Amino acid sequence: MPHYPLLPEHRRPMLLEKLQRAPQLRLMEAHSPLAARIASLARPIGDQGPASGFDGLWMSSLGDSSIAGLPDTEVLGYPRRTQNVFELTKTTHLPLLVDADTGGELSSFIDFVHKLEQIGASGCVVEDKIFPKKNSLIKGADQQLADCDHFSEKIRAAQSEKISASFMVWARTEALIASQGMDEAVYRAESYIRAGADGIVIQSVDPTGQEVFTFMQALQGFTSSWNKPVWFACIPTAYPQFTAQELFAVGFHVVIFANHMLRASIQAMENVCSSILSDDRTLESEPHITSIHRLFHLIPQQRVLKQQLTHTQLVPEQADIPQ
Ligand code: SPV
Ligand code: MG
């Protein structure tokens, strides 16, 4: 990737264009600019897997909250989330899909949508739980759904208030997470599509994957008779035995690997800390950690501005950063 950021108007349509061209996309979670760069440069080992790497990045609420040392309960807030998305644009040319949680209060959700558009994100996913939501993967959590009509209105409002046609507003139903059953999940997905959702994310923690397969089958008739394409995504954290290719085969267009960069980094950091404490030096951990040389390759150091920046030169550039 060249070492300059993409302009928002160039990045924003990329996800929709990729979907229209070849609707089988793999998105990787990125919780920091460094993680975004690593995911953007990643390629498969050997000759299996997509040679061009990931198709886009997922800005996970779990990732953003965890990095900030906060629970995934919408405490981080949109200003910090906005800043995080903006920071990511420095290190990747991939399109960005942003997890918008419940959207909270309507006017702040619309404001978030506008800022994401200005930054050049390609879309957001808003979920039908009651604010403040709890993470869907928490075992035994009491999960409460928002009223379906009210949530559909939120989708409708975001679609009519957004500025750019290429920015997508996806709806995510948590009906299965809230134990409301398949009929409710399908009913809600149809309602959100009627309200204008560009895509649907189905969240499930069924380890067999059967729930999401049934969901896709149940919606087939409705979506094939619908007047515009609707994209479907799943988040296979709880059913990792399925390849993206297998999930595409049952009708999904997007597979989101929602937390794997984050979890990989935690394990690596825990291991190096234990190793250094056990050996009382760093020699033994060296073969297991990234070399400084590799770090400098990922985040090049040689780019030093030649000219002295004056205060007046800095102001307009900073003014472009949505707060
Ligand atoms: C996230 O990545 O923040 C998600 C996906 O919302 S999950 O944590 O699986 O609910
Ligand atoms: Mg989330």
Side-chain angles (χ1 to χ4, degrees), residues 74-252:
E74 303 190 71
V75 270
L76 192 57
Y78 281 156
R80 280 283 294 282
R81 303 283 318 282
T82 306
Q83 187 63 30
N84 287 356
V85 181
F86 178 76
E87 294 293 332
L88 234 69
T89 62
K90 283 187 299 209
T91 56
T92 181
H93 280 190
L94 288 177
L96 310 171
L97 184 64
V98 178
D99 175 2
D101 285 326
T102 66
E105 195 265 325
L106 184 60
S107 46
S108 60
F109 175 48
I110 300 297
D111 185 53
F112 188 47
V113 165
H114 289 163
K115 282 172 177 152
L116 293 177
E117 292 185 271
Q118 285 173 274
I119 292 171
S122 293
C124 68
V125 177
V126 61
E127 69 187 66
D128 60 358
K129 285 203 293 240
I130 289 178
F131 176 91
K133 69 87 201 267
K134 302 179 194 87
N135 184 276
S136 313
L137 306 175
I138 302 173
K139 283 204 170 77
D142 175 29
Q143 301 283 9
Q144 298 291 334
L145 291 186
D147 175 76
C148 178
D149 292 341
H150 191 256
F151 186 78
S152 301
E153 280 314 307
K154 195 177 251 183
I155 299 294
R156 208 183 301 280
Q159 287 292 22
S160 79
E161 293 292 324
K162 72 180 187 184
I163 302 157
S164 46
S166 60
F167 183 87
M168 293 185 284
V169 179
W170 288 55
R172 160 171 162 179
T173 183
E174 294 280 295
L176 301 173
I177 298 298
S179 308
Q180 296 302 303
M182 188 58 67
D183 288 351
E184 181 69 15
V186 171
Y187 173 80
R188 282 175 174 256
E190 290 181 2
S191 171
Y192 305 156
I193 293 168
R194 284 197 185 92
D198 293 292
I200 298 289
V201 175
I202 180 68
Q203 180 61 310
S204 164
V205 289
D206 171 14
T208 71
Q210 197 50 53
E211 268 186 358
V212 299
F213 298 157
T214 307
F215 176 83
M216 286 307 291
Q217 228 165 19
L219 274 158
Q220 233 163 34
F222 178 81
T223 48
S224 55
S225 64
W226 190 240
N227 52 15
K228 64 169 198 154
V230 183
W231 314 110
F232 284 89
C234 62
I235 307 176
T237 308
Y239 43 101
Q241 66 275 31
F242 294 103
T243 63
Q245 204 56 60
E246 287 166 336
L247 297 165
F248 298 146
V250 299
F252 286 107

Side-chain angles (χ1 to χ4, degrees), residues 301-320:
Q301 309 289 306
Q302 69 274 21
R303 192 165 159 268
V304 177
L305 294 181
K306 293 283 187 300
Q307 80 275 33
Q308 284 288 318
L309 294 179
T310 64
H311 179 66
T312 44
Q313 279 172 311
L314 275 175
V315 170
E317 200 175 61
Q318 288 187 343
D320 286 345

